[in-house]
Coordinates of all heavy atoms in Angstrom, one line a residue:
M1 N -11.9 -5.0 -7.5 CA -10.9 -5.0 -6.4 C -11.0 -3.7 -5.6 O -11.2 -2.7 -6.2 CB -9.5 -5.1 -7.0 CG -9.0 -6.5 -7.3 SD -8.9 -7.5 -5.8 CE -8.7 -9.1 -6.6
N2 N -10.7 -3.9 -4.3 CA -10.7 -2.7 -3.5 C -9.3 -2.2 -3.2 O -8.4 -3.0 -3.2 CB -11.5 -3.0 -2.2 CG -12.9 -3.0 -2.4 OD1 -13.5 -4.1 -2.8 ND2 -13.6 -1.9 -2.3
C3 N -9.2 -0.9 -3.0 CA -7.9 -0.4 -2.6 C -7.5 -0.9 -1.2 O -8.3 -1.1 -0.3 CB -8.1 1.2 -2.5 SG -6.6 2.0 -1.9
L4 N -6.2 -1.2 -1.1 CA -5.7 -1.8 0.1 C -5.4 -0.8 1.2 O -5.1 -1.1 2.3 CB -4.4 -2.6 -0.2 CG -4.5 -3.7 -1.3 CD1 -3.2 -4.1 -1.9 CD2 -5.2 -4.9 -0.6
I5 N -5.5 0.5 0.8 CA -5.3 1.5 1.8 C -6.6 2.2 2.2 O -6.9 2.2 3.4 CB -4.4 2.6 1.1 CG1 -3.0 2.0 0.9 CG2 -4.2 3.8 2.1 CD1 -2.1 2.8 -0.1
C6 N -7.4 2.6 1.3 CA -8.6 3.4 1.7 C -9.9 2.5 1.5 O -11.0 2.9 2.0 CB -8.7 4.7 0.9 SG -9.1 4.5 -0.8
G7 N -9.8 1.4 0.7 CA -11.0 0.6 0.6 C -11.9 1.0 -0.6 O -12.9 0.3 -0.9
A8 N -11.6 2.0 -1.3 CA -12.4 2.5 -2.5 C -12.2 1.5 -3.6 O -11.2 0.7 -3.6 CB -11.9 3.8 -2.9
L9 N -13.1 1.5 -4.6 CA -13.0 0.6 -5.7 C -11.7 1.0 -6.5 O -11.6 2.2 -6.9 CB -14.2 0.8 -6.6 CG -14.6 -0.4 -7.5 CD1 -14.7 -1.7 -6.6 CD2 -15.8 -0.1 -8.3
A10 N -10.8 0.1 -6.8 CA -9.6 0.4 -7.4 C -9.3 -0.7 -8.5 O -9.8 -1.8 -8.4 CB -8.4 0.4 -6.4
V11 N -8.4 -0.3 -9.4 CA -8.1 -1.2 -10.5 C -6.9 -2.1 -10.0 O -5.9 -1.5 -9.6 CB -7.7 -0.5 -11.8 CG1 -7.2 -1.4 -12.9 CG2 -8.8 0.4 -12.3
R12 N -7.0 -3.4 -10.1 CA -5.9 -4.3 -9.8 C -5.0 -4.4 -11.0 O -5.4 -4.7 -12.1 CB -6.4 -5.6 -9.3 CG -5.2 -6.6 -8.9 CD -5.8 -7.9 -8.5 NE -4.7 -8.7 -7.9 CZ -3.9 -9.5 -8.7 NH1 -4.1 -9.5 -10.0 NH2 -2.9 -10.1 -8.1
V13 N -3.7 -4.2 -10.8 CA -2.7 -4.3 -11.9 C -1.9 -5.6 -11.5 O -1.5 -5.8 -10.4 CB -1.8 -3.1 -11.9 CG1 -0.8 -3.2 -13.1 CG2 -2.6 -1.8 -12.1
D14 N -1.7 -6.4 -12.5 CA -0.9 -7.7 -12.3 C 0.6 -7.3 -12.1 O 1.2 -6.8 -13.0 CB -1.1 -8.6 -13.4 CG -0.4 -10.0 -13.1 OD1 0.0 -10.2 -12.0 OD2 -0.4 -10.8 -14.0
A15 N 1.1 -7.5 -10.9 CA 2.5 -7.2 -10.7 C 3.3 -8.4 -10.2 O 4.3 -8.3 -9.6 CB 2.6 -6.1 -9.6
G16 N 2.8 -9.6 -10.6 CA 3.5 -10.8 -10.2 C 3.1 -11.3 -8.8 O 2.1 -10.8 -8.3
S17 N 3.9 -12.3 -8.3 CA 3.5 -12.9 -7.1 C 4.0 -12.3 -5.8 O 3.6 -12.6 -4.7 CB 3.9 -14.4 -7.1 OG 5.3 -14.5 -7.3
K18 N 4.9 -11.3 -6.0 CA 5.5 -10.7 -4.8 C 4.9 -9.4 -4.3 O 5.1 -9.0 -3.2 CB 7.0 -10.4 -5.0 CG 7.9 -11.7 -5.0 CD 9.3 -11.4 -5.1 CE 10.1 -12.7 -5.1 NZ 11.6 -12.4 -5.4
Y19 N 4.1 -8.9 -5.2 CA 3.5 -7.6 -5.0 C 2.0 -7.6 -5.3 O 1.5 -8.4 -6.1 CB 4.1 -6.5 -5.9 CG 5.5 -6.3 -5.7 CD1 6.4 -6.9 -6.6 CD2 6.1 -5.5 -4.7 CE1 7.8 -6.7 -6.5 CE2 7.4 -5.3 -4.6 CZ 8.3 -5.9 -5.5 OH 9.6 -5.8 -5.4
E20 N 1.3 -6.7 -4.6 CA -0.1 -6.4 -5.0 C 0.0 -5.0 -5.5 O 0.6 -4.1 -4.9 CB -1.1 -6.5 -3.9 CG -1.5 -7.9 -3.5 CD -2.4 -8.5 -4.5 OE1 -3.1 -7.8 -5.3 OE2 -2.4 -9.8 -4.6
E21 N -0.6 -4.7 -6.7 CA -0.5 -3.4 -7.3 C -1.9 -2.9 -7.5 O -2.8 -3.6 -8.0 CB 0.3 -3.4 -8.6 CG 0.6 -2.0 -9.1 CD 1.6 -2.1 -10.3 OE1 2.5 -2.9 -10.3 OE2 1.4 -1.3 -11.2
R22 N -2.2 -1.6 -7.2 CA -3.5 -1.0 -7.4 C -3.4 0.4 -8.0 O -2.4 1.1 -7.7 CB -4.2 -0.9 -6.0 CG -4.6 -2.1 -5.3 CD -5.8 -2.9 -5.9 NE -6.2 -4.0 -5.1 CZ -5.6 -5.1 -5.1 NH1 -4.5 -5.4 -5.8 NH2 -6.0 -6.1 -4.3
A23 N -4.4 0.7 -8.8 CA -4.5 2.1 -9.2 C -5.8 2.6 -8.6 O -6.9 2.2 -9.0 CB -4.5 2.2 -10.7
C24 N -5.7 3.4 -7.6 CA -6.9 3.9 -6.8 C -7.1 5.3 -7.2 O -6.2 6.1 -7.2 CB -6.6 3.7 -5.3 SG -7.8 4.5 -4.3
P25 N -8.4 5.7 -7.4 CA -8.7 7.1 -7.7 C -8.4 8.0 -6.5 O -8.2 9.2 -6.7 CB -10.2 7.1 -8.0 CG -10.7 5.8 -7.4 CD -9.6 4.8 -7.4
E26 N -8.4 7.5 -5.3 CA -8.1 8.3 -4.2 C -6.6 8.4 -3.8 O -6.1 9.4 -3.4 CB -8.9 7.8 -2.9 CG -10.4 7.7 -3.1 CD -11.0 9.1 -3.2 OE1 -10.5 10.1 -2.6 OE2 -12.1 9.2 -3.9
C27 N -6.0 7.2 -3.8 CA -4.6 7.1 -3.3 C -3.6 7.2 -4.4 O -2.4 7.5 -4.1 CB -4.4 5.7 -2.6 SG -5.6 5.5 -1.3
G28 N -4.0 6.9 -5.6 CA -3.0 6.8 -6.7 C -2.5 5.4 -7.0 O -3.2 4.5 -6.6
H29 N -1.4 5.3 -7.7 CA -0.9 4.0 -8.2 C 0.2 3.6 -7.2 O 1.2 4.3 -7.0 CB -0.4 4.2 -9.6 CG -0.2 3.0 -10.4 ND1 -0.3 2.9 -11.7 CD2 -0.1 1.7 -10.0 CE1 -0.1 1.7 -12.2 NE2 0.0 0.9 -11.1
Y30 N 0.1 2.4 -6.7 CA 1.1 2.0 -5.7 C 1.2 0.4 -5.7 O 0.4 -0.3 -6.2 CB 0.8 2.5 -4.3 CG -0.6 1.9 -3.8 CD1 -0.6 0.7 -3.1 CD2 -1.8 2.5 -4.1 CE1 -1.8 0.1 -2.7 CE2 -3.0 2.0 -3.7 CZ -3.0 0.8 -3.0 OH -4.2 0.2 -2.6
R31 N 2.3 0.0 -5.1 CA 2.5 -1.5 -4.9 C 2.7 -1.7 -3.4 O 3.3 -0.9 -2.7 CB 3.7 -2.0 -5.6 CG 3.6 -2.1 -7.0 CD 4.9 -2.6 -7.6 NE 4.8 -2.9 -9.1 CZ 5.7 -3.3 -9.8 NH1 6.9 -3.4 -9.3 NH2 5.5 -3.5 -11.1
I32 N 2.3 -2.9 -2.9 CA 2.5 -3.3 -1.6 C 3.1 -4.7 -1.6 O 2.5 -5.5 -2.4 CB 1.3 -3.3 -0.7 CG1 0.7 -1.8 -0.7 CG2 1.6 -3.7 0.7 CD1 -0.7 -1.7 0.1
T33 N 4.1 -5.0 -0.9 CA 4.7 -6.4 -0.9 C 3.7 -7.3 -0.2 O 3.0 -6.9 0.7 CB 6.1 -6.5 -0.3 OG1 5.9 -6.2 1.1 CG2 7.0 -5.5 -0.9
C34 N 3.7 -8.5 -0.7 CA 2.8 -9.5 -0.1 C 3.1 -9.8 1.3 O 2.3 -10.1 2.2 CB 2.8 -10.8 -0.9 SG 2.0 -10.6 -2.5
K35 N 4.4 -9.7 1.6 CA 4.9 -9.9 3.0 C 4.2 -8.8 3.9 O 3.8 -9.2 5.0 CB 6.4 -9.7 3.1 CG 7.0 -10.2 4.3 CD 8.5 -10.1 4.2 CE 9.1 -10.2 5.6 NZ 10.5 -9.7 5.7
V36 N 4.1 -7.6 3.5 CA 3.5 -6.5 4.3 C 2.0 -6.9 4.5 O 1.5 -6.7 5.6 CB 3.7 -5.2 3.6 CG1 2.7 -4.1 4.2 CG2 5.1 -4.7 3.7
L37 N 1.4 -7.3 3.4 CA -0.1 -7.6 3.5 C -0.3 -8.7 4.5 O -1.3 -8.7 5.2 CB -0.6 -7.9 2.1 CG -0.6 -6.7 1.2 CD1 -1.0 -7.1 -0.2 CD2 -1.6 -5.6 1.7
E38 N 0.5 -9.7 4.5 CA 0.4 -10.8 5.4 C 0.5 -10.4 6.8 O -0.2 -10.7 7.7 CB 1.4 -11.9 5.1 CG 1.1 -12.8 4.0 CD 2.2 -13.7 3.5 OE1 3.1 -14.0 4.4 OE2 2.3 -14.1 2.4
L39 N 1.6 -9.5 7.1 CA 1.8 -9.0 8.4 C 0.7 -8.2 8.9 O 0.2 -8.3 10.0 CB 3.0 -8.1 8.3 CG 4.4 -8.6 8.7 CD1 5.5 -7.6 8.4 CD2 4.5 -9.1 10.1
M40 N 0.1 -7.3 8.0 CA -1.0 -6.4 8.4 C -2.2 -7.2 8.7 O -2.9 -6.9 9.7 CB -1.2 -5.4 7.3 CG -0.1 -4.5 7.2 SD -0.3 -3.1 6.1 CE -1.6 -2.2 6.9
K41 N -2.4 -8.3 7.9 CA -3.6 -9.1 8.2 C -3.5 -9.9 9.5 O -4.4 -9.9 10.3 CB -3.7 -10.1 7.0 CG -5.1 -10.6 6.8 CD -5.2 -11.5 5.6 CE -6.5 -12.2 5.4 NZ -6.5 -13.1 4.3
A42 N -2.3 -10.4 9.8 CA -2.0 -11.1 11.0 C -2.2 -10.3 12.2 O -2.7 -10.7 13.2 CB -0.6 -11.7 10.9
H43 N -1.8 -9.0 12.1 CA -1.8 -8.1 13.3 C -3.0 -7.2 13.3 O -3.2 -6.4 14.2 CB -0.6 -7.3 13.4 CG 0.7 -8.1 13.6 ND1 1.1 -8.4 14.9 CD2 1.6 -8.6 12.7 CE1 2.2 -9.1 14.8 NE2 2.5 -9.3 13.5
Q44 N -3.9 -7.3 12.2 CA -5.0 -6.4 12.0 C -4.6 -5.0 12.0 O -5.2 -4.1 12.7 CB -6.1 -6.7 13.1 CG -6.6 -8.2 13.0 CD -8.0 -8.3 13.6 OE1 -8.3 -7.8 14.6 NE2 -8.8 -9.1 12.9
W45 N -3.5 -4.7 11.4 CA -3.0 -3.3 11.2 C -3.7 -2.7 10.0 O -4.2 -3.4 9.1 CB -1.5 -3.3 11.0 CG -0.7 -3.6 12.2 CD1 -1.1 -3.5 13.5 CD2 0.6 -4.2 12.2 NE1 0.0 -4.0 14.3 CE2 1.0 -4.4 13.5 CE3 1.5 -4.5 11.1 CZ2 2.3 -4.9 13.9 CZ3 2.8 -5.0 11.5 CH2 3.1 -5.2 12.8
H46 N -3.8 -1.4 10.1 CA -4.4 -0.6 9.0 C -3.5 0.6 8.6 O -2.8 1.1 9.5 CB -5.8 -0.1 9.3 CG -6.7 -1.2 9.6 ND1 -7.4 -1.9 8.7 CD2 -7.1 -1.7 10.8 CE1 -8.1 -2.8 9.2 NE2 -8.0 -2.7 10.5
F47 N -3.5 0.9 7.4 CA -2.7 2.1 7.0 C -3.4 3.4 7.5 O -4.6 3.5 7.5 CB -2.6 2.2 5.5 CG -1.6 1.2 4.9 CD1 -2.1 0.1 4.1 CD2 -0.3 1.3 5.2 CE1 -1.2 -0.8 3.6 CE2 0.6 0.4 4.7 CZ 0.2 -0.7 3.9
D48 N -2.6 4.3 7.9 CA -3.1 5.7 8.1 C -3.4 6.3 6.7 O -2.4 6.6 5.9 CB -2.0 6.5 8.8 CG -2.5 7.9 9.1 OD1 -3.1 8.6 8.2 OD2 -2.3 8.4 10.2
V49 N -4.7 6.4 6.3 CA -5.0 6.7 5.0 C -4.4 8.0 4.5 O -3.8 8.1 3.4 CB -6.6 6.7 4.8 CG1 -7.0 7.1 3.4 CG2 -7.1 5.3 5.1
G50 N -4.6 9.1 5.3 CA -4.1 10.4 4.9 C -2.6 10.4 4.7 O -2.0 10.9 3.7
L51 N -1.9 9.8 5.7 CA -0.4 9.8 5.6 C 0.1 9.0 4.4 O 1.0 9.4 3.7 CB 0.0 9.1 7.0 CG 1.5 9.2 7.3 CD1 1.9 10.6 7.6 CD2 1.8 8.3 8.5
T52 N -0.6 7.8 4.2 CA -0.2 7.0 3.1 C -0.4 7.6 1.7 O 0.4 7.6 0.8 CB -0.9 5.6 3.2 OG1 -0.7 5.1 4.5 CG2 -0.4 4.6 2.2
Q53 N -1.6 8.3 1.6 CA -1.9 9.0 0.4 C -0.9 10.1 0.1 O -0.4 10.3 -1.0 CB -3.3 9.6 0.4 CG -4.4 8.5 0.3 CD -5.8 9.1 0.4 OE1 -6.0 10.2 0.9 NE2 -6.7 8.3 0.0
R54 N -0.4 10.8 1.1 CA 0.6 11.9 0.9 C 1.9 11.3 0.5 O 2.6 11.8 -0.3 CB 0.7 12.7 2.2 CG -0.4 13.7 2.4 CD 0.0 14.8 3.4 NE 0.3 14.2 4.8 CZ -0.6 13.9 5.7 NH1 -1.9 14.2 5.4 NH2 -0.3 13.4 6.8
W55 N 2.3 10.1 1.1 CA 3.5 9.5 0.8 C 3.5 9.0 -0.6 O 4.5 9.2 -1.4 CB 3.7 8.3 1.8 CG 5.0 7.6 1.5 CD1 6.3 8.0 1.9 CD2 5.2 6.4 0.7 NE1 7.2 7.1 1.4 CE2 6.6 6.1 0.7 CE3 4.4 5.5 0.1 CZ2 7.2 5.0 0.1 CZ3 4.9 4.4 -0.6 CH2 6.3 4.2 -0.6
I56 N 2.4 8.4 -1.1 CA 2.3 8.0 -2.5 C 2.4 9.2 -3.4 O 3.1 9.1 -4.5 CB 1.0 7.2 -2.7 CG1 1.1 5.9 -2.0 CG2 0.8 6.9 -4.2 CD1 -0.3 5.1 -1.9
A57 N 1.7 10.3 -3.1 CA 1.8 11.5 -3.9 C 3.2 12.0 -4.1 O 3.6 12.5 -5.1 CB 0.8 12.5 -3.4
E58 N 3.9 12.0 -3.0 CA 5.3 12.5 -3.0 C 6.2 11.5 -3.8 O 7.1 12.0 -4.5 CB 5.9 12.6 -1.6 CG 5.5 13.8 -0.8 CD 5.9 13.8 0.6 OE1 6.9 13.1 0.9 OE2 5.2 14.5 1.4
K59 N 6.1 10.2 -3.6 CA 7.0 9.3 -4.2 C 6.6 8.9 -5.6 O 7.4 8.4 -6.3 CB 7.0 8.0 -3.3 CG 7.6 8.2 -1.9 CD 9.1 8.2 -2.0 CE 9.6 8.6 -0.6 NZ 11.1 8.8 -0.7
G60 N 5.3 9.1 -5.9 CA 4.8 8.5 -7.2 C 5.0 9.4 -8.4 O 4.2 9.3 -9.3
I61 N 6.0 10.2 -8.4 CA 6.3 11.0 -9.6 C 7.3 10.3 -10.5 O 8.4 10.1 -10.2 CB 6.8 12.4 -9.2 CG1 5.8 13.1 -8.3 CG2 7.2 13.2 -10.4 CD1 6.3 14.3 -7.5
G62 N 6.8 9.7 -11.6 CA 7.6 9.0 -12.6 C 8.0 7.6 -12.1 O 8.7 6.9 -12.8
T63 N 7.4 7.1 -11.0 CA 7.7 5.8 -10.5 C 6.5 5.3 -9.7 O 5.6 6.1 -9.3 CB 8.9 5.8 -9.7 OG1 9.2 4.4 -9.2 CG2 8.8 6.7 -8.5
I64 N 6.4 4.0 -9.6 CA 5.3 3.4 -8.8 C 5.9 3.1 -7.4 O 6.7 2.3 -7.2 CB 4.8 2.1 -9.4 CG1 4.2 2.4 -10.8 CG2 3.7 1.5 -8.5 CD1 3.9 1.1 -11.6
P65 N 5.4 3.8 -6.4 CA 5.9 3.6 -5.0 C 5.6 2.2 -4.5 O 4.4 1.8 -4.7 CB 5.3 4.7 -4.2 CG 4.3 5.3 -5.0 CD 4.4 4.9 -6.4
T66 N 6.5 1.6 -3.8 CA 6.3 0.3 -3.3 C 6.4 0.4 -1.7 O 7.3 0.9 -1.2 CB 7.3 -0.7 -3.8 OG1 7.3 -0.8 -5.2 CG2 7.1 -2.1 -3.2
I67 N 5.3 -0.1 -1.1 CA 5.3 -0.1 0.4 C 5.9 -1.5 0.8 O 5.3 -2.5 0.6 CB 3.9 0.1 0.9 CG1 3.3 1.4 0.5 CG2 3.9 0.0 2.5 CD1 1.9 1.7 0.8
D68 N 7.1 -1.4 1.3 CA 7.7 -2.7 1.8 C 7.6 -2.6 3.4 O 7.0 -1.7 3.9 CB 9.2 -2.8 1.4 CG 10.0 -1.6 1.8 OD1 9.6 -0.8 2.7 OD2 11.1 -1.4 1.3
S69 N 8.1 -3.7 4.0 CA 7.9 -3.8 5.5 C 8.6 -2.6 6.2 O 8.0 -2.1 7.2 CB 8.4 -5.1 6.0 OG 9.7 -5.4 5.5
H70 N 9.7 -2.1 5.7 CA 10.3 -0.9 6.3 C 9.4 0.3 6.2 O 9.2 1.0 7.2 CB 11.6 -0.7 5.6 CG 12.4 0.5 6.1 ND1 13.0 0.5 7.3 CD2 12.5 1.8 5.5 CE1 13.5 1.7 7.5 NE2 13.3 2.5 6.4
Q71 N 8.9 0.5 5.1 CA 8.0 1.7 4.9 C 6.7 1.6 5.6 O 6.1 2.5 6.1 CB 7.8 2.0 3.4 CG 7.1 3.2 3.0 CD 7.8 4.5 3.6 OE1 9.0 4.6 3.6 NE2 7.0 5.4 4.1
A72 N 6.1 0.4 5.6 CA 4.8 0.1 6.2 C 4.8 0.5 7.7 O 3.8 1.0 8.2 CB 4.4 -1.3 6.0
G73 N 5.9 0.3 8.3 CA 6.0 0.6 9.7 C 5.8 2.1 10.0 O 5.4 2.5 11.1
R74 N 6.1 2.9 9.0 CA 5.9 4.4 9.2 C 4.5 4.8 8.8 O 4.1 6.0 9.0 CB 6.8 5.1 8.3 CG 8.3 4.9 8.6 CD 9.1 5.5 7.5 NE 10.5 5.4 7.8 CZ 11.5 5.8 7.0 NH1 11.1 6.4 5.9 NH2 12.7 5.7 7.3
L75 N 3.7 4.0 8.1 CA 2.4 4.4 7.5 C 1.3 3.7 8.2 O 0.1 4.0 7.9 CB 2.4 4.0 6.0 CG 3.4 4.7 5.2 CD1 3.4 4.2 3.7 CD2 3.2 6.2 5.1
I76 N 1.6 2.8 9.2 CA 0.5 2.1 9.9 C -0.1 2.9 11.0 O 0.7 3.6 11.7 CB 1.1 0.7 10.4 CG1 1.2 -0.2 9.2 CG2 0.2 0.1 11.5 CD1 2.0 -1.5 9.5
D77 N -1.4 2.9 11.1 CA -2.1 3.6 12.1 C -2.3 2.7 13.2 O -3.1 1.7 13.1 CB -3.4 4.1 11.5 CG -4.3 4.9 12.5 OD1 -3.7 5.4 13.4 OD2 -5.5 4.9 12.3
V78 N -1.6 2.9 14.3 CA -1.8 2.0 15.5 C -2.4 2.7 16.7 O -2.4 3.9 16.8 CB -0.5 1.3 16.0 CG1 -0.1 0.2 15.0 CG2 0.7 2.3 16.0
Ligands
ZN1 ZN1 -7.2 4.1 -2.1

């Protein structure tokens, strides 16, 4: 599986049907809602890799950060 943010080889973690979860050596451990992934695919949006990695590093202390549609709007590179 590839990382949904940077595209590097990442470990897919089973997080149920509402989320995609990855443990990426570059980005860290995170979740993205399936709704966000559908939106991004539909609009061909991409995450700002540097910005998203910093956000995960800040949020990912003791918890798995989840990128929902609200948060994705701040991390998308347009
Ligand atoms: Zn990554």
Side-chain angles (χ1 to χ4, degrees):
M1 274 297 167
N2 287 85
C3 175
L4 300 161
I5 295 164
C6 74
L9 204 59
V11 177
R12 182 178 186 275
V13 182
D14 188 7
S17 58
K18 287 187 180 170
Y19 302 97
E20 283 288 335
E21 187 170 325
R22 296 284 188 281
C24 171
E26 303 292 329
C27 306
H29 199 156
Y30 63 89
R31 285 179 175 180
I32 301 177
T33 65
C34 290
K35 196 180 163 193
V36 166
L37 292 173
E38 280 169 24
L39 267 173
M40 293 187 68
K41 205 175 173 183
H43 295 275
Q44 300 205 320
W45 288 336
H46 298 280
F47 286 111
D48 181 316
V49 176
L51 192 66
T52 307
Q53 287 177 343
R54 282 198 299 277
W55 181 80
I56 292 168
E58 276 173 27
K59 295 283 173 185
I61 300 163
T63 181
I64 300 169
T66 301
I67 301 172
D68 58 14
S69 44
H70 177 73
Q71 187 58 39
R74 300 173 175 177
L75 299 174
I76 283 166
D77 180 23
V78 282

